[in-house]
Amino acid sequence: ETLPDTFPSIGSCKPSHATTQTIAAVTRVTVPSPALSTCTNTGVPTQADQSCSCPRRTLPPTDTPVLPCPPTEDNLPIIQQFLLNRFASSAFNVCERQPLPLMTGSEPLRLYVDPEAKPTAIRTPSQVPLAWHSVVREGLERDVRLGVLERVPVNTPDAWCS
């Protein structure tokens, strides 16, 4: 079945047989969306050190989605809940404890730099106001947990220049 020329507009698609069968099931089930809640992890280790209640982080689904109802303005809440549930463990996962998945199967990022540019290295750390020290530290620790940053031992020489 092909999409009509008016596809992006609301109500432009006819419901399929599978769609009409699932409308009743979706409208009966109302599940609170885990994507709308924040991570229960506080970032501060405790003696109990319990894990958060976030869903396990996964890659987005690759199968073709079947909307649970016709795409009309009246069905927007149902479609929104469908999308939030479908991508709750991938795109909408806000967990601050689970590491982010690494990209695989793609070539490394290429940076195009002016060959005439002179490399420089700035080794003076940025100054952080005293009132922000704890917030900045928590943010850095969170990024290490997510795998965005990695710890470098003290006094490790750097080979990178900007």
Side-chain angles (χ1 to χ4, degrees):
E1 183 176 326
T2 60
L3 296 175
D5 294 335
T6 60
F7 169 66
S9 63
I10 294 176
S12 63
C13 294
K14 298 175 188 171
S16 66
H17 180 66
T19 302
T20 55
Q21 289 179 341
T22 58
I23 290 174
V26 171
T27 54
R28 276 186 269 125
V29 177
T30 55
V31 179
S33 173
L36 297 178
S37 62
T38 58
C39 180
T40 58
N41 174 33
T42 62
V44 179
T46 62
Q47 290 181 351
D49 198 23
Q50 297 176 358
S51 62
C52 58
S53 61
C54 298
R56 290 286 123 221
R57 198 179 297 277
T58 63
L59 294 175
T62 56
D63 59 326
T64 305
V66 176
L67 289 178
C69 57
T72 62
E73 213 167 327
D74 294 337
N75 293 332
L76 283 178
I78 297 170
I79 295 172
Q80 179 183 15
Q81 190 63 45
F82 168 75
L83 292 173
L84 289 172
N85 289 340
R86 180 170 170 83
F87 296 102
S89 62
S90 57
F92 297 130
N93 192 334
V94 295
C95 184
E96 295 183 359
R97 176 169 284 180
Q98 301 173 49
L100 296 169
L102 298 176
M103 292 175 49
T104 58
S106 59
E107 66 180 65
L109 178 68
R110 293 182 55 182
L111 299 177
Y112 297 94
V113 181
D114 182 1
E116 302 294 319
K118 181 182 176 189
T120 60
I122 300 173
R123 292 182 173 82
T124 306
S126 300
Q127 292 190 6
V128 177
L130 189 58
W132 291 1
H133 275 217
S134 62
V135 175
V136 170
R137 172 150 298 318
E138 289 172 13
L140 290 170
E141 295 295 335
R142 182 196 64 234
D143 288 348
V144 168
R145 278 194 310 274
L146 291 174
V148 175
L149 298 176
E150 65 182 42
R151 289 192 183 280
V152 177
V154 178
N155 297 328
T156 301
D158 62 340
W160 183 84
C161 292
S162 62

Short mmCIF file of all heavy atoms in Angstrom, two decimals, residues 15-29 65-70 75 78-79 82:
data_model
loop_
_atom_site.label_atom_id
_atom_site.label_comp_id
_atom_site.label_asym_id
_atom_site.label_seq_id
_atom_site.Cartn_x
_atom_site.Cartn_y
_atom_site.Cartn_z
N PRO A 15 -7.23 3.40 7.68
CA PRO A 15 -6.80 2.37 8.63
C PRO A 15 -6.78 1.00 7.97
O PRO A 15 -7.65 0.67 7.17
CB PRO A 15 -7.83 2.44 9.75
CG PRO A 15 -9.03 3.09 9.14
CD PRO A 15 -8.52 3.98 8.03
N SER A 16 -5.77 0.21 8.28
CA SER A 16 -5.68 -1.14 7.75
C SER A 16 -6.47 -2.09 8.65
O SER A 16 -6.91 -1.72 9.73
CB SER A 16 -4.22 -1.59 7.67
OG SER A 16 -3.70 -1.68 8.97
N HIS A 17 -6.62 -3.35 8.21
CA HIS A 17 -7.34 -4.34 9.00
C HIS A 17 -6.64 -4.56 10.34
O HIS A 17 -7.28 -4.65 11.38
CB HIS A 17 -7.45 -5.65 8.22
CG HIS A 17 -8.18 -6.73 8.97
ND1 HIS A 17 -9.51 -6.63 9.28
CD2 HIS A 17 -7.74 -7.90 9.48
CE1 HIS A 17 -9.88 -7.70 9.96
NE2 HIS A 17 -8.83 -8.50 10.08
N ALA A 18 -5.29 -4.64 10.32
CA ALA A 18 -4.53 -4.84 11.56
C ALA A 18 -4.71 -3.65 12.49
O ALA A 18 -4.76 -3.80 13.71
CB ALA A 18 -3.05 -5.06 11.26
N THR A 19 -4.83 -2.47 11.93
CA THR A 19 -5.01 -1.26 12.74
C THR A 19 -6.33 -1.30 13.47
O THR A 19 -6.40 -1.01 14.66
CB THR A 19 -4.93 -0.01 11.84
OG1 THR A 19 -3.69 0.00 11.18
CG2 THR A 19 -5.11 1.25 12.65
N THR A 20 -7.40 -1.65 12.78
CA THR A 20 -8.71 -1.66 13.43
C THR A 20 -8.78 -2.70 14.54
O THR A 20 -9.49 -2.52 15.51
CB THR A 20 -9.83 -1.89 12.39
OG1 THR A 20 -9.55 -3.10 11.68
CG2 THR A 20 -9.92 -0.73 11.42
N GLN A 21 -8.03 -3.78 14.41
CA GLN A 21 -8.04 -4.81 15.46
C GLN A 21 -7.31 -4.35 16.70
O GLN A 21 -7.65 -4.75 17.80
CB GLN A 21 -7.39 -6.09 14.94
CG GLN A 21 -8.23 -6.83 13.92
CD GLN A 21 -7.51 -8.07 13.42
OE1 GLN A 21 -6.31 -8.20 13.56
NE2 GLN A 21 -8.27 -8.99 12.85
N THR A 22 -6.28 -3.52 16.54
CA THR A 22 -5.49 -3.13 17.70
C THR A 22 -6.01 -1.87 18.38
O THR A 22 -5.58 -1.56 19.47
CB THR A 22 -4.02 -2.89 17.30
OG1 THR A 22 -3.99 -1.89 16.29
CG2 THR A 22 -3.37 -4.16 16.84
N ILE A 23 -6.93 -1.15 17.78
CA ILE A 23 -7.43 0.08 18.39
C ILE A 23 -8.05 -0.22 19.75
O ILE A 23 -7.74 0.44 20.74
CB ILE A 23 -8.47 0.78 17.48
CG1 ILE A 23 -7.78 1.35 16.26
CG2 ILE A 23 -9.19 1.89 18.24
CD1 ILE A 23 -8.72 1.94 15.24
N ALA A 24 -8.89 -1.23 19.82
CA ALA A 24 -9.55 -1.56 21.07
C ALA A 24 -8.54 -1.97 22.14
O ALA A 24 -8.65 -1.57 23.29
CB ALA A 24 -10.56 -2.68 20.85
N ALA A 25 -7.54 -2.75 21.74
CA ALA A 25 -6.54 -3.20 22.72
C ALA A 25 -5.74 -2.03 23.27
O ALA A 25 -5.47 -1.96 24.47
CB ALA A 25 -5.61 -4.21 22.08
N VAL A 26 -5.37 -1.09 22.43
CA VAL A 26 -4.57 0.04 22.88
C VAL A 26 -5.38 0.99 23.73
O VAL A 26 -4.90 1.52 24.72
CB VAL A 26 -3.95 0.77 21.67
CG1 VAL A 26 -3.30 2.07 22.09
CG2 VAL A 26 -2.94 -0.11 20.98
N THR A 27 -6.61 1.23 23.36
CA THR A 27 -7.41 2.18 24.13
C THR A 27 -7.77 1.62 25.50
O THR A 27 -8.00 2.38 26.42
CB THR A 27 -8.70 2.55 23.36
OG1 THR A 27 -9.39 1.36 23.03
CG2 THR A 27 -8.38 3.35 22.13
N ARG A 28 -7.80 0.30 25.66
CA ARG A 28 -8.09 -0.29 26.96
C ARG A 28 -6.89 -0.24 27.89
O ARG A 28 -7.04 -0.15 29.09
CB ARG A 28 -8.54 -1.75 26.80
CG ARG A 28 -10.02 -1.87 26.49
CD ARG A 28 -10.44 -3.32 26.47
NE ARG A 28 -10.30 -3.84 25.11
CZ ARG A 28 -9.59 -4.90 24.79
NH1 ARG A 28 -8.98 -5.61 25.68
NH2 ARG A 28 -9.50 -5.29 23.54
N VAL A 29 -5.69 -0.30 27.34
CA VAL A 29 -4.49 -0.36 28.15
C VAL A 29 -3.89 1.03 28.25
O VAL A 29 -3.56 1.63 27.25
CB VAL A 29 -3.45 -1.33 27.53
CG1 VAL A 29 -2.19 -1.34 28.34
CG2 VAL A 29 -4.04 -2.71 27.42
N PRO A 65 6.87 -0.03 12.06
CA PRO A 65 5.79 0.12 13.05
C PRO A 65 4.42 0.09 12.39
O PRO A 65 4.25 0.50 11.25
CB PRO A 65 6.06 1.50 13.65
CG PRO A 65 6.77 2.24 12.60
CD PRO A 65 7.58 1.21 11.84
N VAL A 66 3.46 -0.42 13.13
CA VAL A 66 2.06 -0.41 12.71
C VAL A 66 1.34 0.46 13.73
O VAL A 66 1.31 0.13 14.93
CB VAL A 66 1.46 -1.83 12.68
CG1 VAL A 66 -0.01 -1.78 12.35
CG2 VAL A 66 2.23 -2.70 11.71
N LEU A 67 0.80 1.57 13.27
CA LEU A 67 0.10 2.46 14.18
C LEU A 67 -1.08 1.75 14.81
O LEU A 67 -1.78 0.99 14.14
CB LEU A 67 -0.37 3.72 13.46
CG LEU A 67 0.71 4.70 13.05
CD1 LEU A 67 0.10 5.88 12.29
CD2 LEU A 67 1.47 5.20 14.24
N PRO A 68 -1.33 1.98 16.09
CA PRO A 68 -2.42 1.28 16.77
C PRO A 68 -3.80 1.83 16.43
O PRO A 68 -4.81 1.25 16.82
CB PRO A 68 -2.11 1.53 18.25
CG PRO A 68 -1.36 2.81 18.25
CD PRO A 68 -0.57 2.84 16.99
N CYS A 69 -3.86 2.94 15.71
CA CYS A 69 -5.13 3.55 15.36
C CYS A 69 -4.93 4.47 14.16
O CYS A 69 -3.79 4.77 13.81
CB CYS A 69 -5.69 4.34 16.55
SG CYS A 69 -4.55 5.60 17.14
N PRO A 70 -6.00 4.92 13.56
CA PRO A 70 -5.84 5.84 12.43
C PRO A 70 -5.19 7.15 12.90
O PRO A 70 -5.46 7.61 14.01
CB PRO A 70 -7.27 6.09 11.96
CG PRO A 70 -8.08 4.99 12.52
CD PRO A 70 -7.39 4.55 13.77
N ASN A 75 -6.97 10.87 17.85
CA ASN A 75 -6.14 9.75 18.32
C ASN A 75 -4.72 10.17 18.71
O ASN A 75 -3.88 9.32 18.97
CB ASN A 75 -6.06 8.68 17.24
CG ASN A 75 -7.39 8.01 17.02
OD1 ASN A 75 -8.22 7.94 17.92
ND2 ASN A 75 -7.62 7.54 15.81
N ILE A 78 -3.26 8.56 21.88
CA ILE A 78 -2.96 7.14 21.72
C ILE A 78 -1.67 6.97 20.93
O ILE A 78 -0.80 6.16 21.29
CB ILE A 78 -4.13 6.41 21.01
CG1 ILE A 78 -5.38 6.49 21.88
CG2 ILE A 78 -3.77 4.97 20.71
CD1 ILE A 78 -6.64 6.02 21.17
N ILE A 79 -1.51 7.74 19.86
CA ILE A 79 -0.29 7.65 19.04
C ILE A 79 0.92 8.12 19.83
O ILE A 79 1.99 7.52 19.77
CB ILE A 79 -0.47 8.44 17.73
CG1 ILE A 79 -1.56 7.79 16.88
CG2 ILE A 79 0.84 8.53 16.97
CD1 ILE A 79 -1.96 8.57 15.66
N PHE A 82 1.86 5.39 22.13
CA PHE A 82 2.46 4.32 21.34
C PHE A 82 3.93 4.62 21.05
O PHE A 82 4.81 3.78 21.22
CB PHE A 82 1.67 4.13 20.04
CG PHE A 82 2.36 3.26 19.03
CD1 PHE A 82 2.39 1.89 19.19
CD2 PHE A 82 2.99 3.82 17.91
CE1 PHE A 82 3.03 1.08 18.25
CE2 PHE A 82 3.62 3.02 16.98
CZ PHE A 82 3.65 1.64 17.15
#
